[in-house]
Amino acid sequence: MLALITGASSGLGLEFAKIHAEKGGDLILVARSVGKMEALKTELESKYAVKVYVMPADLSDPAAPDKLFADVQSMGLQVDMLFNNAGFSVYGLFAETDWKKEEELLQVNMMALTRLTKLFVPGMVERRKGYILQVASNAAYQPGPTMALYYASKAFVYYFSSALYNELKPYGVHVTCLTPGPTHTGFQDRAEMHESRLLKILPVAKAEPVARYGYKALLKGKRMAIPSFSVLMLQMGSKYMPWNIVVPLTRYLQGHSDMK
Ligand SMILES: NC(=O)c1ccc[n+]([C@@H]2O[C@H](COP(=O)([O-])OP(=O)(O)OC[C@H]3O[C@@H](n4cnc5c(N)ncnc54)[C@H](OP(=O)(O)O)[C@@H]3O)[C@@H](O)[C@H]2O)c1
């Protein structure tokens, strides 16, 4: 099976790629860091009998998903598994954060994920077979002051995926939403979350087991993949506790100081 993985140059995406190759699956790696993806291609092709294609793309460019899809089509490739994994956060108070970065966040975390799903789903439905992993976050379960747009973008992914799971299941297309908690990847440095208490209080998972959990849940056709007990507790807390407690508590955990 051929898997297309966005955000395959580091963190969870890189682990998804390794797991898929270990199972003998071919890969299309998508991200901006060409060097890292070429190194991964060399490693995986030398270790396993698989073919790895590197397709660099900046998913903050609204035209990127359509260009990627067209390139895949013109190469005569059939994507059986889609891992919508690329994503990042902007940390800070909304009144002070950089709109350019936030616009890119909305584009990468929501629009590119949605457009890629839209482009690859019809072929999967036609073949009555397909797998789509949508990477959300524990952030999907409640509003998150100081990362307001990130939390909202992941809530979008969670709701979108759960609806698609219902629509596509009868046609043999599996949609799984993975909601990792804090995980050791490039994510925290990228978001400059140095003031976050969350990372000091909650256990921070290794990327490989989180990716493996999501991968297995996808193959089993599960709607949700909640990779740890602590994330399950966060989900339950957000569901059953009043949000006038949950939201200030989230703000406390996010640990950002007040406006300058
Ligand atoms: N780590 C955590 O604590 C955590 C928790 C919950 C959810 N998640 C989610 O897990 C997913 C993977 O993140 P990660 O933790 O593995 O972080 P990461 O190590 O920073 O990886 C993010 C990946 O997304 C790619 N990416 C970012 N912006 C992009 C763009 N404009 N165009 C194309 N690719 C782009 C990056 O590649 P390039 O820079 O090479 O483009 C990289 O491969 C994200 O959706 C994140 O929200 C992470």
Side-chain angles (χ1 to χ4, degrees):
M1 282 204 282
L2 174 65
L4 185 152
I5 302 177
T6 68
S9 63
S10 78
L12 291 170
L14 185 143
E15 297 298 338
F16 289 132
K18 286 184 176 172
I19 293 164
H20 190 64
E22 170 194 302
K23 297 193 182 302
D26 294 337
L27 285 154
I28 299 174
L29 309 179
V30 178
R32 293 164 302 180
S33 308
V34 183
K36 288 186 190 172
M37 293 191 292
E38 288 293 350
L40 184 60
K41 170 184 162 73
T42 306
E43 180 193 329
L44 297 179
E45 285 184 340
S46 64
K47 220 164 161 185
Y48 308 103
V50 297
K51 178 79 194 138
V52 180
Y53 304 89
V54 172
M55 295 198 175
D58 182 349
L59 295 174
S60 70
D61 173 358
D66 287 74
K67 158 112 184 32
L68 186 60
F69 182 72
D71 290 347
V72 169
Q73 298 292 99
S74 69
M75 288 167 76
L77 300 172
Q78 176 187 301
V79 170
D80 309 298
M81 299 177 87
L82 172 64
F83 290 74
N84 273 315
N85 163 76
F88 69 97
S89 184
V90 173
Y91 183 60
L93 297 168
F94 183 74
E96 296 182 334
T97 42
D98 176 7
W99 171 243
K100 178 83 184 75
K101 279 191 194 159
E102 289 176 329
E103 206 173 15
E104 287 178 12
L105 180 157
L106 298 174
Q107 193 66 42
V108 174
N109 294 12
M110 296 195 297
M111 288 300 285
L113 174 146
T114 308
R115 184 65 184 144
L116 285 173
T117 306
K118 188 87 177 169
L119 290 164
F120 284 104
V121 147
M124 292 180 181
V125 169
E126 206 178 300
R127 297 189 293 275
R128 296 294 193 265
K129 195 172 179 203
Y131 296 89
I132 303 172
L133 187 78
Q134 312 284 35
V135 180
S137 165
N138 66 287
Y141 300 126
Q142 71 281 305
T146 77
M147 288 193 353
L149 290 181
Y150 178 73
Y151 276 60
S153 74
K154 292 302 182 178
F156 170 88
V157 174
Y158 171 39
Y159 275 69
F160 172 53
S161 303
S162 299
L164 269 194
Y165 167 87
N166 173 280
E167 288 185 17
L168 296 176
K169 198 174 160 48
Y171 303 96
V173 181
H174 302 288
V175 182
T176 299
C177 180
L178 172 66
T179 59
T183 308
H184 279 299
T185 64
F187 179 84
Q188 290 81 13
D189 281 347
R190 230 181 254 267
E192 298 176 352
M193 295 170 66
H194 311 303
E195 289 180 50
S196 172
R197 289 194 186 94
L198 195 74
L199 300 169
K200 294 175 188 121
I201 293 170
L202 283 184
V204 181
K206 289 198 173 116
E208 195 275 340
V210 173
R212 199 169 285 279
Y213 187 89
Y215 190 95
K216 276 189 188 161
L218 178 63
L219 287 187
K220 283 186 189 157
K222 303 257 189 212
R223 179 178 67 86
M224 292 301 299
I226 301 175
S228 70
F229 184 70
S230 56
V231 176
L232 183 65
M233 288 297 99
L234 285 174
Q235 186 209 14
M236 290 295 166
S238 307
K239 199 168 173 185
Y240 296 111
M241 271 161 62
W243 276 16
N244 58 6
I245 296 175
V246 169
V247 179
L249 183 63
T250 308
R251 170 73 197 269
Y252 172 79
L253 290 172
Q254 290 286 125
H256 197 282
S257 45
D258 288 334
M259 256 181 251
K260 288 159 207 146

